[in-house]
Amino acid sequence: MTEGITTELSKELQQAIAALETNSNLEEVGVVVRVGDGVAWIHGLRGAGYSEVLNIETDHGVVEAFALNLLEDEIGAVLLGEDSLVKAGQTVRLKGTVLDVPVGPELLGRVVDPLGRPLDGGPAIKTKQRGLVEREAVGVMGRKSVHEPLMTGIVAIDAMFPIGRGQRELIIGDRQTGKTALAIDTMINQAKQKTGVVNVYVAIGQKLSKIARLVDRLKQEGVMDQTIIVATGPSDPASLLYLAPYAATAMGEYFRDNSQHALMIYDDLTKHAVAYRQMSLLLRRPPGREAYPGDVFYLHSRLLERSAKLSDELGAGSLTALPIIETQAGDISAYIPTNVISITDGQIFLETDLFNQGIRPAISAGLSVSRVGGAAQTGAVKSVSGNLKLGLSQFRELASFAQFGSDLDDSTKHQIERGQRLTELLKQSQYQPLSIWEQVASISAVINGQFDHVPADKVKDAQAALLTKLWADHKTEMQELDKGGKPADEMKTLLAKTATATAKGFEG
């Protein structure tokens, strides 16, 4: 250790370091120099690697930490246990492993912390396997292009911004605009449509009451059996908030690597970046823009790159990511939002103004995009949603323009009226995802003009009546349509005929 640092230390600590250097192997043994705010600085351990687990021998047993700062003469280690138990002068040894967590089907239906310890009051979880918290993403040759749809059950998303298995689609917007609601509906839809997709929901610094409500709801909807919840609260140390998404991804990768499909929901990565900033500043890393360290882009890129659609040789499993980012006053040009937008394959932007107008989900047709697009869309939905996004964007433009002029030509009036019906149709209550046939029947009725004489405020009633009639009178055909194939001409005729008959009962 350098002379400058040694002079600052107490005599007892200097003696401990001298004894260590005389009697021990400095490659594998170290001593705590100072500790505070969840970070221990350790002298020795020259053989330690990045993210390696260190065992600190305290008076009350071993406290684990992991190495995050590897400096020339000391190590900055982030504690995974109580920092009040750790004191200067205590011995530290290498555990010989990097950080890992339990993975496997035994975790399904459970609420755990980032280290795999149960939080739901249930028995301890015994798994046959463990997965690495930090792991290199699958290379290009081990991947396949995203082509299978991951249906969310939300008409606005499945029709305009389709998500495929293996894609990373960002959900972004201000607080209280329904970001988590979109993610939860997607989880519920996986169970309702019996897709076999495993849900992994990561709560990063969320209120524990919110997590408890979510668990109750998932149990009500019958989704909890195929869900893992990794939870951290606001009072948890920054180290656990930092580890939560990586640990949860390791749990999701187990299913991906065993030819299954998993959906990751990171709620939310803004809090994750803040936890990393806190740890970095405590580790004395130089702050950059908005006080984040220079490697904050790498923080999320190495996390989200692990979501992929694997090649047939690797089992064709998939891991789909829905990261959530919270903006301040709709500012998507801030540091963390722009970082994550550039990493992901598209974003669903939720607007506060639309939310306050009662348009929910409050999805902005102009700022949202899916960079996988039609490749991951079922033939059935694709057949009716071709001009939906364009029509909606044009309507929003025309509607703001029409406020200033009373003399509108017939085609503009018609476009505005069609846009109003589309807007009404795309409104959807929470916890009510729609199946493929319900989406196709609803969209085609508005797009093809069968609902043109239905007043906008009665569109939802007409939609409900149409779906009830179709299921009652043509159940077999609807089950066929629900398989997702491109509808035949007879099917289109059947939908048009039923929609026209239904609309007559609602005409103004």
Side-chain angles (χ1 to χ4, degrees), residues 93-104:
R93 297 181 194 277
L94 292 181
K95 190 178 180 183
T97 61
V98 289
L99 214 50
D100 61 8
V101 289
V103 298

Side-chain angles (χ1 to χ4, degrees), residues 44-372:
L45 292 180
R46 289 175 187 157
Y50 180 79
S51 196
E52 188 165 356
V53 180
L54 316 176
N55 286 340
I56 303 171
E57 297 167 2
T58 73
D59 301 337
H60 301 277
V62 170
V63 171
E64 289 194 338
F66 63 97
L68 207 62
N69 254 30
L70 302 174
L71 304 176
E72 197 175 336
D73 54 0
E74 62 182 352
I75 286 174
V78 178
L79 299 171
L80 293 171
E82 280 292 320
D83 63 355
S84 58
L85 302 176
V86 181
K87 294 179 177 62
Q90 289 170 341
T91 305
V92 189
R93 297 181 194 277
L94 292 181
K95 190 178 180 183
T97 61
V98 289
L99 214 50
D100 61 8
V101 289
V103 298
E106 297 87 351
L107 288 158
L108 289 172
R110 300 300 299 272
V111 182
V112 296
D113 75 356
L115 299 175
R117 299 174 298 207
L119 296 173
D120 52 9
I125 299 163
K126 293 189 176 82
T127 61
K128 294 178 184 132
Q129 279 181 262
R130 293 184 75 83
L132 294 178
V133 168
E134 292 273 7
R135 183 176 156 194
E136 205 171 312
V138 177
V140 175
M141 299 309 290
R143 296 175 182 239
K144 195 177 182 182
S145 63
V146 174
H147 65 281
E148 302 164 304
L150 183 117
M151 300 299 289
T152 64
I154 298 159
V155 183
I157 295 176
D158 290 339
M160 296 190 287
F161 318 105
I163 299 170
R165 291 182 182 178
Q167 190 176 343
R168 299 151 307 171
E169 183 81 1
L170 171 64
I171 300 172
I172 185 168
D174 286 2
R175 66 186 298 274
Q176 299 294 319
T177 50
K179 301 185 295 299
T180 304
L182 286 189
I184 292 168
D185 282 356
T186 305
M187 289 163 70
I188 291 170
N189 196 50
Q190 304 318 306
K192 281 200 170 170
Q193 305 304 320
K194 297 183 173 62
T195 59
V197 175
V198 171
N199 304 308
V200 185
Y201 177 87
V202 197
I204 306 167
Q206 300 286 347
K207 286 180 187 168
L208 297 179
S209 58
K210 179 183 172 183
I211 299 165
R213 282 198 305 273
L214 168 66
V215 172
D216 285 345
R217 189 74 211 199
L218 293 180
K219 282 179 179 169
Q220 276 178 42
E221 301 286 346
V223 189
M224 199 60 203
D225 294 341
Q226 61 184 69
T227 301
I228 302 169
I229 293 181
V230 180
T232 54
S235 59
D236 284 329
S239 56
L240 284 186
L241 269 64
Y242 162 74
L243 286 175
Y246 296 104
T249 305
M251 294 168 190
E253 280 175 332
Y254 168 85
F255 298 98
R256 183 199 72 184
D257 297 340
N258 284 284
S259 303
Q260 291 173 266
H261 305 281
L263 168 68
M264 299 293 316
I265 291 157
Y266 303 105
D267 192 6
D268 63 81
L269 291 186
T270 313
K271 290 189 182 72
H272 184 232
V274 168
Y276 184 63
R277 173 169 65 186
Q278 182 185 331
M279 276 171 36
S280 297
L281 293 173
L282 290 169
L283 288 163
R284 299 187 180 174
R285 293 182 177 179
R289 181 175 159 193
E290 292 179 30
Y292 289 102
D295 64 339
V296 77
F297 179 88
Y298 181 55
L299 173 78
H300 290 148
S301 62
R302 74 177 189 267
L303 172 70
L304 293 168
E305 281 299 321
R306 289 162 70 176
S307 296
K309 167 68 183 165
L310 296 188
S311 63
D312 293 339
E313 292 75 25
L314 292 177
S318 72
L319 187 65
T320 311
L322 292 181
I324 296 173
I325 286 284
E326 186 181 293
T327 53
Q328 304 289 327
D331 182 15
I332 56 171
S333 63
Y335 192 25
I336 300 302
T338 49
N339 272 354
V340 184
I341 285 170
S342 62
I343 295 163
T344 50
D345 311 309
Q347 72 272 350
I348 294 162
F349 182 65
L350 300 177
E351 284 190 71
T352 310
D353 289 350
L354 292 179
F355 188 85
N356 293 338
Q357 286 167 31
I359 299 169
R360 299 173 192 176
I363 296 171
S364 161
L367 288 173
S368 304
V369 65
S370 170
R371 297 191 187 100
V372 172

Side-chain angles (χ1 to χ4, degrees), residues 412-489:
T412 307
K413 270 184 193 167
H414 178 69
Q415 205 168 353
I416 288 173
E417 284 168 9
R418 174 83 51 95
Q420 286 168 340
R421 291 185 185 91
L422 264 181
T423 302
E424 283 300 316
L425 178 81
L426 294 178
K427 286 181 184 176
Q428 202 168 333
S429 302
Q430 199 180 347
Y431 311 125
Q432 290 179 11
L434 297 182
S435 56
I436 295 172
W437 77 266
E438 290 172 319
Q439 294 189 26
V440 174
S442 305
I443 297 167
S444 69
V446 174
I447 288 286
N448 297 327
Q450 281 100 34
F451 279 9
D452 274 1
H453 298 294
V454 176
D457 59 353
K458 289 186 181 173
V459 164
K460 289 309 282 182
D461 296 335
Q463 179 195 10
L466 170 64
L467 298 180
T468 305
K469 191 172 174 60
L470 282 169
W471 191 248
D473 299 348
H474 308 283
K475 188 173 178 179
T476 314
E477 292 93 327
M478 291 308 105
Q479 285 171 331
E480 184 60 36
L481 181 58
D482 208 40
K483 290 175 184 171
K486 191 175 178 183
D489 289 343

